[in-house]
Amino acid sequence: MGIYPAPLEVLVDRLASLPGLGPKSAMRIALHILRSNEANVKELVKALLEVKKKIKFCSVCFNITDTDPCNICEDPGRAGHIVCVVESPGDQLAIEEAGAFRGKYHVLHGALSPLDGIGPEDLKIGELMVRIGKDRIEEVILATNPTTQGEATASFIARLLAEKYPQLHVYRIALGVPMGADLKYMDRLTLEHAFKSKTPLKT
Amino acid sequence: MQHFRSDAIIVRVREYGESDLSVSFMTRDKGLLRGIAKGGRKSSRRFVNCLEPLSLVLMDYHQKAEGKAYFLDSCRLVDSFPGIRENFESLSLASYVIELLELLFPYNVTDPRAFDLAKATLGFISRGADLQKVRILFEGHAMALGGYAIDLNKCAICGRKYTAKGDGVILMEKGKFSCLKCSTPTEKHPLLSPQAISGLRAVQGGAWETLKHLHLSPEDLTQIGHVLKMHVAYRIGKRLKSAKYLQ
């Protein structure tokens, strides 16, 4: 028997199983829920159920959406011939918040990781290949994370694209020194990438 | 509290709690370990670019008491093996190397040669060596280190010593060799030429540093590769997750 009442322990267990939440934060949230009035808790439960019921994957880009196709895929103001490939909806959201890209997206839902048994068939790579031919895409920007798995995924997709669509322009997002950083504090790998990705200055 | 500093190969990294990471890593002196990198998800100084699977790092870590969990203090990247990231085939083989060594040398089983083998193999893969050859050299050597070398010295049935003349058959279920007088080649009992047998002997018993100079013909490589693939499957008893991506 635990030191807390059973229903509270169950709630803490459930919350602690969520990504990014440890037992202490889970307990803090559980106690907050306990202190909240019943109407607020019902609203929370309703929101949780609705998100599960209404949110689905866009049939074009596989981003999460409540309409199909999603707002971005339906937006005529966006460049339909440019696709940015990202690993997860969170990555797409980060790019969208930056406002730096006005094309369309394709969400892979993961990265290649043979050690975890994740191969090309587990990602939305086949769908990307079909989409490029169907939607007459001219440019693909591979924006997977600069991790071992993300880099291998980008290389894998780039090779497939080169074989199937040799006329397609394929880019990798630049890797290197972040804005506002100090070179003195950069690690070796970042500096290596920065020098590999050097670009000519336009004067 | 005991502090340690070791070369380590990062094996797996998982999110743990709010800002920590649970890291499996292979060291030369203590074998496979698991530790917690407190604040590892947010740290831009102590663990920058280091906690990437299949990277070689110099790791500082500590253990509060014998038998308790390890805690990672900081890491410095020694080699990221960049060639591994350049294509899926290299990543798959590198993953296979780590997965097989994890099974052969699990937690609490230490053999410095396993760490040296992992480090050298990842280096070969990263530098763009022939992946088929690297796989064969690695598999044969790793299985031998793990105590699963195929006995090629004498026929398992008649006991006659093998003198490197004539074809032989590998009895997969026994992990042993048989002469052609005692066994006939079948799907489960693959045939090996004398050259392939001496090649496999060298792979299993030779010093790892000298193996890269070992000459094996394409036919030998195919025969040895087939035998080792079946041998790993028989001895390990399960299909490795990364194995299906090796073709």
Side-chain angles (χ1 to χ4, degrees), chain A residues 9-55:
Chain A
E9 289 219 348
V10 171
L11 180 59
V12 171
D13 276 352
R14 293 282 177 275
L15 290 169
S17 69
L18 297 175
L21 280 186
K24 284 182 186 171
S25 292
M27 178 54 79
R28 210 161 41 236
I29 295 168
L31 290 174
H32 176 80
I33 290 171
L34 202 60
R35 280 195 300 269
S36 302
N37 64 40
E38 201 171 326
N40 283 349
V41 176
K42 277 183 179 165
E43 284 296 315
L44 177 65
V45 171
K46 192 179 157 200
L48 286 171
L49 290 173
E50 281 204 352
V51 82
K52 196 66 197 153
K53 208 185 294 175
K54 291 185 179 170
I55 299 291

mmCIF file of all heavy atoms in Angstrom, chain A residues 9-55:
data_model
loop_
_atom_site.group_PDB
_atom_site.id
_atom_site.type_symbol
_atom_site.label_atom_id
_atom_site.label_comp_id
_atom_site.label_asym_id
_atom_site.label_seq_id
_atom_site.Cartn_x
_atom_site.Cartn_y
_atom_site.Cartn_z
ATOM 1 N N GLU A 9 -2.509 7.904 -6.424
ATOM 2 C CA GLU A 9 -1.313 7.202 -6.901
ATOM 3 C C GLU A 9 -1.465 6.790 -8.365
ATOM 4 O O GLU A 9 -0.517 6.878 -9.146
ATOM 5 C CB GLU A 9 -1.040 5.973 -6.039
ATOM 6 C CG GLU A 9 -0.557 6.355 -4.660
ATOM 7 C CD GLU A 9 0.536 5.427 -4.144
ATOM 8 O OE1 GLU A 9 0.747 4.384 -4.757
ATOM 9 O OE2 GLU A 9 1.160 5.782 -3.130
ATOM 10 N N VAL A 10 -2.695 6.345 -8.722
ATOM 11 C CA VAL A 10 -2.943 5.951 -10.118
ATOM 12 C C VAL A 10 -2.753 7.166 -11.025
ATOM 13 O O VAL A 10 -2.089 7.091 -12.071
ATOM 14 C CB VAL A 10 -4.376 5.368 -10.278
ATOM 15 C CG1 VAL A 10 -4.727 5.171 -11.752
ATOM 16 C CG2 VAL A 10 -4.486 4.041 -9.538
ATOM 17 N N LEU A 11 -3.309 8.315 -10.607
ATOM 18 C CA LEU A 11 -3.191 9.529 -11.417
ATOM 19 C C LEU A 11 -1.722 9.945 -11.568
ATOM 20 O O LEU A 11 -1.264 10.287 -12.668
ATOM 21 C CB LEU A 11 -4.002 10.664 -10.764
ATOM 22 C CG LEU A 11 -3.970 12.007 -11.511
ATOM 23 C CD1 LEU A 11 -4.493 11.879 -12.936
ATOM 24 C CD2 LEU A 11 -4.774 13.057 -10.751
ATOM 25 N N VAL A 12 -0.984 9.878 -10.474
ATOM 26 C CA VAL A 12 0.448 10.241 -10.527
ATOM 27 C C VAL A 12 1.196 9.283 -11.467
ATOM 28 O O VAL A 12 2.008 9.722 -12.288
ATOM 29 C CB VAL A 12 1.078 10.218 -9.114
ATOM 30 C CG1 VAL A 12 2.593 10.375 -9.190
ATOM 31 C CG2 VAL A 12 0.491 11.327 -8.254
ATOM 32 N N ASP A 13 0.883 8.000 -11.391
ATOM 33 C CA ASP A 13 1.527 7.014 -12.275
ATOM 34 C C ASP A 13 1.250 7.332 -13.736
ATOM 35 O O ASP A 13 2.132 7.295 -14.584
ATOM 36 C CB ASP A 13 1.012 5.594 -11.981
ATOM 37 C CG ASP A 13 1.762 4.971 -10.818
ATOM 38 O OD1 ASP A 13 2.747 5.583 -10.373
ATOM 39 O OD2 ASP A 13 1.340 3.891 -10.352
ATOM 40 N N ARG A 14 -0.017 7.637 -14.019
ATOM 41 C CA ARG A 14 -0.404 7.941 -15.413
ATOM 42 C C ARG A 14 0.308 9.199 -15.905
ATOM 43 O O ARG A 14 0.802 9.247 -17.025
ATOM 44 C CB ARG A 14 -1.924 8.149 -15.522
ATOM 45 C CG ARG A 14 -2.746 6.913 -15.265
ATOM 46 C CD ARG A 14 -2.740 5.975 -16.492
ATOM 47 N NE ARG A 14 -3.476 4.762 -16.223
ATOM 48 C CZ ARG A 14 -2.970 3.677 -15.630
ATOM 49 N NH1 ARG A 14 -1.716 3.672 -15.241
ATOM 50 N NH2 ARG A 14 -3.714 2.602 -15.436
ATOM 51 N N LEU A 15 0.348 10.215 -15.061
ATOM 52 C CA LEU A 15 0.990 11.474 -15.470
ATOM 53 C C LEU A 15 2.500 11.282 -15.637
ATOM 54 O O LEU A 15 3.101 11.817 -16.572
ATOM 55 C CB LEU A 15 0.714 12.582 -14.443
ATOM 56 C CG LEU A 15 -0.721 13.097 -14.400
ATOM 57 C CD1 LEU A 15 -0.930 13.987 -13.170
ATOM 58 C CD2 LEU A 15 -1.070 13.880 -15.658
ATOM 59 N N ALA A 16 3.086 10.498 -14.753
ATOM 60 C CA ALA A 16 4.536 10.303 -14.806
ATOM 61 C C ALA A 16 4.954 9.484 -16.026
ATOM 62 O O ALA A 16 6.118 9.524 -16.423
ATOM 63 C CB ALA A 16 5.021 9.607 -13.538
ATOM 64 N N SER A 17 4.012 8.786 -16.632
ATOM 65 C CA SER A 17 4.361 8.016 -17.835
ATOM 66 C C SER A 17 4.393 8.909 -19.076
ATOM 67 O O SER A 17 4.816 8.474 -20.145
ATOM 68 C CB SER A 17 3.361 6.874 -18.039
ATOM 69 O OG SER A 17 2.100 7.402 -18.398
ATOM 70 N N LEU A 18 3.954 10.172 -18.934
ATOM 71 C CA LEU A 18 3.990 11.089 -20.079
ATOM 72 C C LEU A 18 5.422 11.565 -20.310
ATOM 73 O O LEU A 18 6.199 11.696 -19.360
ATOM 74 C CB LEU A 18 3.072 12.304 -19.809
ATOM 75 C CG LEU A 18 1.576 12.006 -19.630
ATOM 76 C CD1 LEU A 18 0.827 13.270 -19.245
ATOM 77 C CD2 LEU A 18 0.986 11.425 -20.909
ATOM 78 N N PRO A 19 5.784 11.826 -21.585
ATOM 79 C CA PRO A 19 7.160 12.258 -21.843
ATOM 80 C C PRO A 19 7.472 13.590 -21.181
ATOM 81 O O PRO A 19 6.643 14.499 -21.179
ATOM 82 C CB PRO A 19 7.222 12.380 -23.377
ATOM 83 C CG PRO A 19 5.814 12.418 -23.832
ATOM 84 C CD PRO A 19 4.997 11.707 -22.813
ATOM 85 N N GLY A 20 8.635 13.682 -20.577
ATOM 86 C CA GLY A 20 9.078 14.942 -19.975
ATOM 87 C C GLY A 20 8.567 15.168 -18.571
ATOM 88 O O GLY A 20 8.835 16.212 -17.971
ATOM 89 N N LEU A 21 7.802 14.233 -18.032
ATOM 90 C CA LEU A 21 7.280 14.411 -16.669
ATOM 91 C C LEU A 21 7.875 13.353 -15.745
ATOM 92 O O LEU A 21 7.760 12.158 -16.013
ATOM 93 C CB LEU A 21 5.759 14.270 -16.659
ATOM 94 C CG LEU A 21 4.929 15.474 -17.095
ATOM 95 C CD1 LEU A 21 3.462 15.179 -16.872
ATOM 96 C CD2 LEU A 21 5.308 16.733 -16.342
ATOM 97 N N GLY A 22 8.509 13.815 -14.689
ATOM 98 C CA GLY A 22 9.022 12.903 -13.679
ATOM 99 C C GLY A 22 8.004 12.756 -12.556
ATOM 100 O O GLY A 22 6.967 13.428 -12.565
ATOM 101 N N PRO A 23 8.281 11.907 -11.572
ATOM 102 C CA PRO A 23 7.324 11.680 -10.475
ATOM 103 C C PRO A 23 6.991 12.951 -9.688
ATOM 104 O O PRO A 23 5.842 13.135 -9.283
ATOM 105 C CB PRO A 23 8.048 10.670 -9.586
ATOM 106 C CG PRO A 23 9.170 10.152 -10.362
ATOM 107 C CD PRO A 23 9.471 11.076 -11.460
ATOM 108 N N LYS A 24 7.990 13.834 -9.518
ATOM 109 C CA LYS A 24 7.721 15.047 -8.737
ATOM 110 C C LYS A 24 6.753 15.983 -9.458
ATOM 111 O O LYS A 24 5.809 16.507 -8.870
ATOM 112 C CB LYS A 24 9.030 15.790 -8.439
ATOM 113 C CG LYS A 24 9.841 15.137 -7.343
ATOM 114 C CD LYS A 24 11.076 15.936 -7.055
ATOM 115 C CE LYS A 24 11.950 15.184 -6.057
ATOM 116 N NZ LYS A 24 13.252 15.793 -5.897
ATOM 117 N N SER A 25 7.001 16.198 -10.753
ATOM 118 C CA SER A 25 6.096 17.048 -11.532
ATOM 119 C C SER A 25 4.723 16.412 -11.622
ATOM 120 O O SER A 25 3.695 17.100 -11.567
ATOM 121 C CB SER A 25 6.648 17.273 -12.934
ATOM 122 O OG SER A 25 7.796 18.043 -12.863
ATOM 123 N N ALA A 26 4.711 15.072 -11.772
ATOM 124 C CA ALA A 26 3.432 14.364 -11.866
ATOM 125 C C ALA A 26 2.628 14.584 -10.579
ATOM 126 O O ALA A 26 1.417 14.839 -10.619
ATOM 127 C CB ALA A 26 3.679 12.886 -12.101
ATOM 128 N N MET A 27 3.305 14.522 -9.438
ATOM 129 C CA MET A 27 2.624 14.737 -8.156
ATOM 130 C C MET A 27 2.113 16.172 -8.061
ATOM 131 O O MET A 27 0.988 16.421 -7.603
ATOM 132 C CB MET A 27 3.591 14.422 -7.011
ATOM 133 C CG MET A 27 3.014 14.658 -5.625
ATOM 134 S SD MET A 27 1.463 13.792 -5.340
ATOM 135 C CE MET A 27 2.049 12.142 -4.993
ATOM 136 N N ARG A 28 2.935 17.135 -8.523
ATOM 137 C CA ARG A 28 2.531 18.546 -8.476
ATOM 138 C C ARG A 28 1.262 18.765 -9.294
ATOM 139 O O ARG A 28 0.324 19.410 -8.854
ATOM 140 C CB ARG A 28 3.684 19.398 -9.032
ATOM 141 C CG ARG A 28 3.746 20.767 -8.440
ATOM 142 C CD ARG A 28 5.085 21.446 -8.607
ATOM 143 N NE ARG A 28 5.715 21.272 -9.902
ATOM 144 C CZ ARG A 28 6.926 20.779 -10.076
ATOM 145 N NH1 ARG A 28 7.633 20.392 -9.038
ATOM 146 N NH2 ARG A 28 7.446 20.682 -11.275
ATOM 147 N N ILE A 29 1.229 18.170 -10.509
ATOM 148 C CA ILE A 29 0.055 18.322 -11.379
ATOM 149 C C ILE A 29 -1.154 17.620 -10.756
ATOM 150 O O ILE A 29 -2.271 18.145 -10.752
ATOM 151 C CB ILE A 29 0.356 17.771 -12.792
ATOM 152 C CG1 ILE A 29 1.449 18.622 -13.450
ATOM 153 C CG2 ILE A 29 -0.892 17.773 -13.661
ATOM 154 C CD1 ILE A 29 2.024 18.014 -14.720
ATOM 155 N N ALA A 30 -0.916 16.427 -10.216
ATOM 156 C CA ALA A 30 -2.018 15.667 -9.606
ATOM 157 C C ALA A 30 -2.631 16.449 -8.446
ATOM 158 O O ALA A 30 -3.869 16.525 -8.306
ATOM 159 C CB ALA A 30 -1.504 14.312 -9.129
ATOM 160 N N LEU A 31 -1.786 17.063 -7.621
ATOM 161 C CA LEU A 31 -2.303 17.846 -6.481
ATOM 162 C C LEU A 31 -3.046 19.088 -6.970
ATOM 163 O O LEU A 31 -4.063 19.487 -6.390
ATOM 164 C CB LEU A 31 -1.152 18.237 -5.548
ATOM 165 C CG LEU A 31 -0.534 17.075 -4.762
ATOM 166 C CD1 LEU A 31 0.686 17.535 -3.977
ATOM 167 C CD2 LEU A 31 -1.547 16.424 -3.831
ATOM 168 N N HIS A 32 -2.555 19.670 -8.078
ATOM 169 C CA HIS A 32 -3.255 20.828 -8.650
ATOM 170 C C HIS A 32 -4.641 20.416 -9.139
ATOM 171 O O HIS A 32 -5.632 21.114 -8.899
ATOM 172 C CB HIS A 32 -2.416 21.400 -9.807
ATOM 173 C CG HIS A 32 -3.101 22.529 -10.514
ATOM 174 N ND1 HIS A 32 -3.099 23.815 -10.017
ATOM 175 C CD2 HIS A 32 -3.836 22.554 -11.656
ATOM 176 C CE1 HIS A 32 -3.786 24.581 -10.832
ATOM 177 N NE2 HIS A 32 -4.253 23.848 -11.832
ATOM 178 N N ILE A 33 -4.695 19.239 -9.806
ATOM 179 C CA ILE A 33 -5.996 18.740 -10.290
ATOM 180 C C ILE A 33 -6.924 18.492 -9.102
ATOM 181 O O ILE A 33 -8.114 18.818 -9.141
ATOM 182 C CB ILE A 33 -5.800 17.449 -11.123
ATOM 183 C CG1 ILE A 33 -5.110 17.796 -12.450
ATOM 184 C CG2 ILE A 33 -7.121 16.741 -11.392
ATOM 185 C CD1 ILE A 33 -4.659 16.590 -13.262
ATOM 186 N N LEU A 34 -6.370 17.950 -8.055
ATOM 187 C CA LEU A 34 -7.149 17.649 -6.848
ATOM 188 C C LEU A 34 -7.735 18.935 -6.235
ATOM 189 O O LEU A 34 -8.872 18.956 -5.764
ATOM 190 C CB LEU A 34 -6.231 16.952 -5.835
ATOM 191 C CG LEU A 34 -6.885 16.113 -4.760
ATOM 192 C CD1 LEU A 34 -7.704 14.995 -5.388
ATOM 193 C CD2 LEU A 34 -5.813 15.503 -3.868
ATOM 194 N N ARG A 35 -6.961 19.992 -6.297
ATOM 195 C CA ARG A 35 -7.415 21.263 -5.711
ATOM 196 C C ARG A 35 -8.372 22.026 -6.635
ATOM 197 O O ARG A 35 -9.114 22.881 -6.190
ATOM 198 C CB ARG A 35 -6.203 22.162 -5.420
ATOM 199 C CG ARG A 35 -5.471 21.800 -4.132
ATOM 200 C CD ARG A 35 -4.553 22.916 -3.713
ATOM 201 N NE ARG A 35 -3.544 23.189 -4.726
ATOM 202 C CZ ARG A 35 -2.350 22.610 -4.755
ATOM 203 N NH1 ARG A 35 -2.011 21.738 -3.819
ATOM 204 N NH2 ARG A 35 -1.492 22.895 -5.701
ATOM 205 N N SER A 36 -8.344 21.733 -7.928
ATOM 206 C CA SER A 36 -9.174 22.470 -8.899
ATOM 207 C C SER A 36 -10.648 22.133 -8.690
ATOM 208 O O SER A 36 -10.983 21.064 -8.179
ATOM 209 C CB SER A 36 -8.793 22.083 -10.329
ATOM 210 O OG SER A 36 -7.456 22.342 -10.545
ATOM 211 N N ASN A 37 -11.525 23.062 -9.147
ATOM 212 C CA ASN A 37 -12.946 22.732 -9.025
ATOM 213 C C ASN A 37 -13.359 21.730 -10.107
ATOM 214 O O ASN A 37 -12.666 21.560 -11.108
ATOM 215 C CB ASN A 37 -13.815 23.997 -9.024
ATOM 216 C CG ASN A 37 -13.720 24.739 -10.340
ATOM 217 O OD1 ASN A 37 -13.698 24.122 -11.383
ATOM 218 N ND2 ASN A 37 -13.644 26.059 -10.268
ATOM 219 N N GLU A 38 -14.500 21.094 -9.880
ATOM 220 C CA GLU A 38 -14.905 19.975 -10.722
ATOM 221 C C GLU A 38 -15.095 20.384 -12.184
ATOM 222 O O GLU A 38 -14.772 19.622 -13.116
ATOM 223 C CB GLU A 38 -16.190 19.360 -10.167
ATOM 224 C CG GLU A 38 -16.389 17.936 -10.661
ATOM 225 C CD GLU A 38 -17.540 17.222 -9.962
ATOM 226 O OE1 GLU A 38 -17.757 17.494 -8.768
ATOM 227 O OE2 GLU A 38 -18.194 16.413 -10.625
ATOM 228 N N ALA A 39 -15.587 21.608 -12.402
ATOM 229 C CA ALA A 39 -15.829 22.069 -13.780
ATOM 230 C C ALA A 39 -14.522 22.116 -14.569
ATOM 231 O O ALA A 39 -14.471 21.702 -15.733
ATOM 232 C CB ALA A 39 -16.481 23.448 -13.750
ATOM 233 N N ASN A 40 -13.470 22.610 -13.932
ATOM 234 C CA ASN A 40 -12.169 22.686 -14.619
ATOM 235 C C ASN A 40 -11.639 21.296 -14.961
ATOM 236 O O ASN A 40 -11.088 21.085 -16.036
ATOM 237 C CB ASN A 40 -11.140 23.405 -13.735
ATOM 238 C CG ASN A 40 -11.339 24.890 -13.749
ATOM 239 O OD1 ASN A 40 -12.100 25.414 -14.564
ATOM 240 N ND2 ASN A 40 -10.701 25.584 -12.821
ATOM 241 N N VAL A 41 -11.818 20.383 -14.046
ATOM 242 C CA VAL A 41 -11.342 19.015 -14.293
ATOM 243 C C VAL A 41 -12.128 18.389 -15.439
ATOM 244 O O VAL A 41 -11.560 17.718 -16.311
ATOM 245 C CB VAL A 41 -11.452 18.163 -13.006
ATOM 246 C CG1 VAL A 41 -11.054 16.713 -13.274
ATOM 247 C CG2 VAL A 41 -10.575 18.745 -11.908
ATOM 248 N N LYS A 42 -13.419 18.646 -15.468
ATOM 249 C CA LYS A 42 -14.248 18.099 -16.561
ATOM 250 C C LYS A 42 -13.806 18.673 -17.902
ATOM 251 O O LYS A 42 -13.775 17.970 -18.908
ATOM 252 C CB LYS A 42 -15.729 18.412 -16.307
ATOM 253 C CG LYS A 42 -16.369 17.404 -15.370
ATOM 254 C CD LYS A 42 -17.841 17.669 -15.188
ATOM 255 C CE LYS A 42 -18.442 16.609 -14.259
ATOM 256 N NZ LYS A 42 -19.754 17.001 -13.755
ATOM 257 N N GLU A 43 -13.480 19.962 -17.911
ATOM 258 C CA GLU A 43 -12.987 20.599 -19.146
ATOM 259 C C GLU A 43 -11.691 19.930 -19.622
ATOM 260 O O GLU A 43 -11.498 19.708 -20.813
ATOM 261 C CB GLU A 43 -12.713 22.091 -18.904
ATOM 262 C CG GLU A 43 -13.966 22.956 -18.835
ATOM 263 C CD GLU A 43 -14.721 22.972 -20.166
ATOM 264 O OE1 GLU A 43 -14.053 23.129 -21.200
ATOM 265 O OE2 GLU A 43 -15.950 22.785 -20.149
ATOM 266 N N LEU A 44 -10.820 19.632 -18.665
ATOM 267 C CA LEU A 44 -9.551 18.982 -18.998
ATOM 268 C C LEU A 44 -9.789 17.596 -19.602
ATOM 269 O O LEU A 44 -9.220 17.231 -20.627
ATOM 270 C CB LEU A 44 -8.664 18.879 -17.742
ATOM 271 C CG LEU A 44 -7.325 18.166 -17.914
ATOM 272 C CD1 LEU A 44 -6.407 18.941 -18.847
ATOM 273 C CD2 LEU A 44 -6.631 17.975 -16.569
ATOM 274 N N VAL A 45 -10.684 16.848 -18.951
ATOM 275 C CA VAL A 45 -11.002 15.494 -19.434
ATOM 276 C C VAL A 45 -11.608 15.573 -20.832
ATOM 277 O O VAL A 45 -11.245 14.803 -21.736
ATOM 278 C CB VAL A 45 -11.965 14.783 -18.448
ATOM 279 C CG1 VAL A 45 -12.482 13.473 -19.030
ATOM 280 C CG2 VAL A 45 -11.267 14.538 -17.121
ATOM 281 N N LYS A 46 -12.504 16.562 -21.017
ATOM 282 C CA LYS A 46 -13.168 16.728 -22.321
ATOM 283 C C LYS A 46 -12.128 17.042 -23.405
ATOM 284 O O LYS A 46 -12.164 16.496 -24.516
ATOM 285 C CB LYS A 46 -14.194 17.865 -22.221
ATOM 286 C CG LYS A 46 -15.149 17.946 -23.396
ATOM 287 C CD LYS A 46 -16.133 19.091 -23.194
ATOM 288 C CE LYS A 46 -16.687 19.522 -24.542
ATOM 289 N NZ LYS A 46 -17.249 20.859 -24.494
ATOM 290 N N ALA A 47 -11.197 17.943 -23.057
ATOM 291 C CA ALA A 47 -10.146 18.316 -24.025
ATOM 292 C C ALA A 47 -9.283 17.116 -24.393
ATOM 293 O O ALA A 47 -8.940 16.924 -25.565
ATOM 294 C CB ALA A 47 -9.281 19.436 -23.443
ATOM 295 N N LEU A 48 -8.959 16.304 -23.406
ATOM 296 C CA LEU A 48 -8.136 15.112 -23.660
ATOM 297 C C LEU A 48 -8.862 14.135 -24.598
ATOM 298 O O LEU A 48 -8.273 13.603 -25.541
ATOM 299 C CB LEU A 48 -7.803 14.392 -22.339
ATOM 300 C CG LEU A 48 -6.765 15.051 -21.439
ATOM 301 C CD1 LEU A 48 -6.705 14.340 -20.083
ATOM 302 C CD2 LEU A 48 -5.386 15.019 -22.083
ATOM 303 N N LEU A 49 -10.159 13.930 -24.337
ATOM 304 C CA LEU A 49 -10.919 13.001 -25.166
ATOM 305 C C LEU A 49 -11.102 13.550 -26.579
ATOM 306 O O LEU A 49 -11.016 12.813 -27.563
ATOM 307 C CB LEU A 49 -12.287 12.718 -24.529
ATOM 308 C CG LEU A 49 -12.246 11.893 -23.238
ATOM 309 C CD1 LEU A 49 -13.615 11.816 -22.592
ATOM 310 C CD2 LEU A 49 -11.719 10.482 -23.512
ATOM 311 N N GLU A 50 -11.328 14.872 -26.663
ATOM 312 C CA GLU A 50 -11.561 15.471 -27.989
ATOM 313 C C GLU A 50 -10.302 15.437 -28.849
ATOM 314 O O GLU A 50 -10.381 15.215 -30.053
ATOM 315 C CB GLU A 50 -12.057 16.905 -27.844
ATOM 316 C CG GLU A 50 -13.529 16.941 -27.495
ATOM 317 C CD GLU A 50 -14.202 18.230 -27.897
ATOM 318 O OE1 GLU A 50 -13.502 19.170 -28.325
ATOM 319 O OE2 GLU A 50 -15.429 18.290 -27.771
ATOM 320 N N VAL A 51 -9.179 15.680 -28.220
ATOM 321 C CA VAL A 51 -7.941 15.676 -29.000
ATOM 322 C C VAL A 51 -7.702 14.276 -29.580
ATOM 323 O O VAL A 51 -7.237 14.111 -30.705
ATOM 324 C CB VAL A 51 -6.755 16.190 -28.155
ATOM 325 C CG1 VAL A 51 -6.159 15.131 -27.261
ATOM 326 C CG2 VAL A 51 -5.650 16.766 -29.029
ATOM 327 N N LYS A 52 -8.077 13.279 -28.817
ATOM 328 C CA LYS A 52 -7.897 11.896 -29.272
ATOM 329 C C LYS A 52 -8.897 11.577 -30.394
ATOM 330 O O LYS A 52 -8.586 10.857 -31.335
ATOM 331 C CB LYS A 52 -8.096 10.955 -28.071
ATOM 332 C CG LYS A 52 -7.596 9.566 -28.252
ATOM 333 C CD LYS A 52 -6.098 9.503 -28.378
ATOM 334 C CE LYS A 52 -5.688 8.180 -28.967
ATOM 335 N NZ LYS A 52 -4.440 8.223 -29.682
ATOM 336 N N LYS A 53 -10.114 12.135 -30.237
ATOM 337 C CA LYS A 53 -11.170 11.822 -31.190
ATOM 338 C C LYS A 53 -11.010 12.599 -32.501
ATOM 339 O O LYS A 53 -11.217 12.073 -33.589
ATOM 340 C CB LYS A 53 -12.518 12.169 -30.535
ATOM 341 C CG LYS A 53 -13.679 11.316 -31.055
ATOM 342 C CD LYS A 53 -15.003 11.755 -30.478
ATOM 343 C CE LYS A 53 -15.097 11.533 -28.974
ATOM 344 N NZ LYS A 53 -16.341 12.081 -28.396
ATOM 345 N N LYS A 54 -10.666 13.875 -32.396
ATOM 346 C CA LYS A 54 -10.732 14.740 -33.581
ATOM 347 C C LYS A 54 -9.407 14.921 -34.323
ATOM 348 O O LYS A 54 -9.402 15.238 -35.501
ATOM 349 C CB LYS A 54 -11.265 16.120 -33.179
ATOM 350 C CG LYS A 54 -12.728 16.084 -32.782
ATOM 351 C CD LYS A 54 -13.253 17.466 -32.511
ATOM 352 C CE LYS A 54 -14.733 17.403 -32.143
ATOM 353 N NZ LYS A 54 -15.225 18.688 -31.639
ATOM 354 N N ILE A 55 -8.302 14.769 -33.623
ATOM 355 C CA ILE A 55 -7.024 15.018 -34.298
ATOM 356 C C ILE A 55 -6.598 13.779 -35.080
ATOM 357 O O ILE A 55 -6.639 12.660 -34.568
ATOM 358 C CB ILE A 55 -5.921 15.417 -33.284
ATOM 359 C CG1 ILE A 55 -6.306 16.698 -32.544
ATOM 360 C CG2 ILE A 55 -4.564 15.567 -33.964
ATOM 361 C CD1 ILE A 55 -6.323 17.956 -33.364
#
